[in-house]
Amino acid sequence: MQKKGKFDYILLETTGLADPGEFDKTWFSSSERERKVKDLSESFYTNCAVASMFWVDAELGVDIYLDGIITVVDSKYGLKHLEEEKPDGLINEASRQVALADIIIINKTDLVSEEDLSKLRAAIRSINGLGKILETQRSRVDLSNVLDLHAFDSLSGISLQKKLQHVPTTQPHLDQSIITVTFEVPGNAKEESLNVFIQNLLWEKNIRNKDDDCMEVIRLKGLVSIKDKAKQVIVQGVHELYDLEETPLSWKDDTERTNRLVLIGRNLDKEILRQLFVATVTEAEKRWTTHFKEDQVCL
């Protein structure tokens, strides 16, 4: 780190890190928006202190930003890790890593049958409907597929617009029931009301599904139309932290403004989430009352 000059790229291999979201918090909470780093989550164990220590070093400078999160899944043992049951209803580390990933690399595909590989693909896609899946042997991957992703900055809005149109809502595949939910709502949203919607979901944790289970969001991503703003706004969220940022893309005069959101998490209900979001757009506050209760916080 004492070397003079700028680094071209920092690839942080967080082998043993259970929750890349803890790493993301340093990015979201930082006042400097120019950070570039790749989080490589390979394996399914934990030591979050490594990432935190990495970012407290002021000598790294301010021209660095988080580029994306990659999770490597072992073809032979990946499904076993994803199906692992944790006590007290906790989400296992493997599922959380897959849920947070922008790129999921399925490695050692030569060691399993096509049938087993297909089952693993289905399990991964059921958890994360937004991330890109790459398959390889001996970890051989074209660097152009894993570098310069811009997954967490405004430049991602250019590719995200097309991607969000093709992300399906998934069904629970494993006991952990982590799924991807996506919906679209036309119109504009007031920024203040949108913040209330996101904060109740991520911070207050007081939004429940039809079974009265707390909705737990691990990852949030989308493009929204903010009233009185000409440009499209990208929304990013990881656990309790989120950010709104204008993209370089402007809304065209001849197209209807719309909002597209993708949420990855547990106990998610697409229709309830959509109705609550519509409430922020139309300001119909009475629609919030059914599944939104201020005095009932999920623990």
Side-chain angles (χ1 to χ4, degrees), residues 10-25:
I10 299 174
L11 183 66
L12 179 61
E13 181 181 1
T14 56
T15 300
L17 178 65
D19 192 350
E22 295 297 320
F23 171 83
D24 289 340
K25 291 180 181 179

Side-chain angles (χ1 to χ4, degrees), residues 163-220:
K163 185 184 295 186
L164 292 181
Q165 295 176 357
H166 304 286
V167 178
T169 292
T170 63
Q171 297 298 321
H173 183 77
L174 304 169
D175 291 339
Q176 286 74 23
S177 299
I178 299 177
I179 62 171
T180 298
V181 165
T182 178
F183 61 83
E184 180 176 359
V185 175
N188 294 317
K190 285 189 175 182
E191 188 167 359
E192 181 179 355
S193 299
L194 178 60
N195 279 309
V196 170
F197 168 78
I198 297 174
Q199 290 166 14
N200 281 320
L201 191 60
L202 302 185
W203 294 3
E204 303 301 332
K205 303 184 187 298
N206 52 14
I207 298 178
R208 298 174 179 269
N209 62 19
K210 294 175 182 177
D211 296 324
D212 205 35
D213 296 321
C214 178
M215 296 194 201
E216 180 181 356
V217 176
I218 299 174
R219 185 84 184 258
L220 164 67

Side-chain angles (χ1 to χ4, degrees), residues 6-287:
K6 294 184 178 180
F7 292 96
D8 295 322
Y9 216 94
I10 299 174
L11 183 66
L12 179 61
E13 181 181 1
T14 56
T15 300
L17 178 65
D19 192 350
E22 295 297 320
F23 171 83
D24 289 340
K25 291 180 181 179
T26 58
W27 171 76
F28 277 104
S29 60
S30 172
S31 59
E32 301 127 1
R33 296 308 308 273
E34 300 273 331
R35 300 199 160 185
K36 182 176 184 179
V37 68
K38 180 75 61 182
D39 175 21
L40 179 60
S41 300
E42 180 180 9
S43 186
F44 300 132
Y45 306 98
T46 183
N47 187 350
C48 296
V50 175
S52 299
M53 290 171 60
F54 182 82
W55 285 108
V56 298
D57 190 344
E59 294 183 3
L60 287 175
V62 295
D63 56 347
I64 303 172
Y65 65 89
L66 179 61
D67 187 43
I69 299 173
I70 298 174
T71 293
V72 180
V73 179
D74 187 289
S75 293
K76 192 171 182 64
Y77 300 106
L79 193 59
K80 176 183 177 181
H81 287 299
L82 291 172
E83 292 177 335
E84 179 185 358
E85 293 187 13
K86 303 290 286 187
D88 302 322
L90 297 175
I91 300 174
N92 72 56
E93 292 86 354
S95 296
R96 194 177 291 276
Q97 286 186 3
V98 168
L100 285 165
D102 301 292
I103 302 288
I104 300 115
I105 299 176
I106 302 179
N107 192 32
K108 304 177 184 178
T109 57
D110 55 320
L111 300 183
V112 297
S113 65
E114 179 56 37
E115 180 181 358
D116 289 340
L117 189 57
S118 179
K119 291 179 180 178
L120 181 58
R121 285 193 208 104
I124 291 172
R125 186 52 72 204
S126 72
I127 294 172
N128 188 336
L130 186 61
K132 181 179 180 180
I133 297 177
L134 303 176
E135 298 180 12
T136 187
Q137 301 171 11
R138 299 181 182 275
S139 299
R140 295 193 180 108
V141 179
D142 190 319
L143 289 180
S144 64
N145 289 323
V146 296
L147 301 183
D148 294 319
L149 299 177
H150 293 281
F152 286 88
D153 60 46
S154 60
L155 293 179
S156 68
I158 300 173
S159 60
L160 184 62
Q161 185 180 41
K162 295 181 179 180
K163 185 184 295 186
L164 292 181
Q165 295 176 357
H166 304 286
V167 178
T169 292
T170 63
Q171 297 298 321
H173 183 77
L174 304 169
D175 291 339
Q176 286 74 23
S177 299
I178 299 177
I179 62 171
T180 298
V181 165
T182 178
F183 61 83
E184 180 176 359
V185 175
N188 294 317
K190 285 189 175 182
E191 188 167 359
E192 181 179 355
S193 299
L194 178 60
N195 279 309
V196 170
F197 168 78
I198 297 174
Q199 290 166 14
N200 281 320
L201 191 60
L202 302 185
W203 294 3
E204 303 301 332
K205 303 184 187 298
N206 52 14
I207 298 178
R208 298 174 179 269
N209 62 19
K210 294 175 182 177
D211 296 324
D212 205 35
D213 296 321
C214 178
M215 296 194 201
E216 180 181 356
V217 176
I218 299 174
R219 185 84 184 258
L220 164 67
K221 201 164 191 175
L223 285 173
V224 295
S225 172
I226 301 296
K227 185 179 180 180
D228 299 326
K229 287 193 175 183
K231 295 186 180 296
Q232 298 179 17
V233 174
I234 186 171
V235 54
Q236 296 266 11
V238 175
H239 293 307
E240 297 88 358
L241 300 166
Y242 76 95
D243 187 38
L244 300 174
E245 184 179 4
E246 288 191 19
T247 74
L249 300 176
S250 297
W251 292 101
K252 296 180 180 179
D253 294 334
D254 58 346
T255 59
E256 183 181 33
R257 290 196 173 207
T258 190
N259 307 273
R260 294 190 181 95
L261 287 181
V262 176
L263 302 97
I264 300 174
R266 187 167 58 169
N267 301 324
L268 302 183
D269 187 303
K270 175 180 178 178
E271 287 307 312
I272 291 176
L273 289 169
R274 186 181 182 280
Q275 290 171 14
L276 295 180
F277 187 85
V278 168
T280 69
V281 175
T282 62
E283 300 179 292
E285 296 182 1
K286 62 182 180 180
R287 300 183 187 180

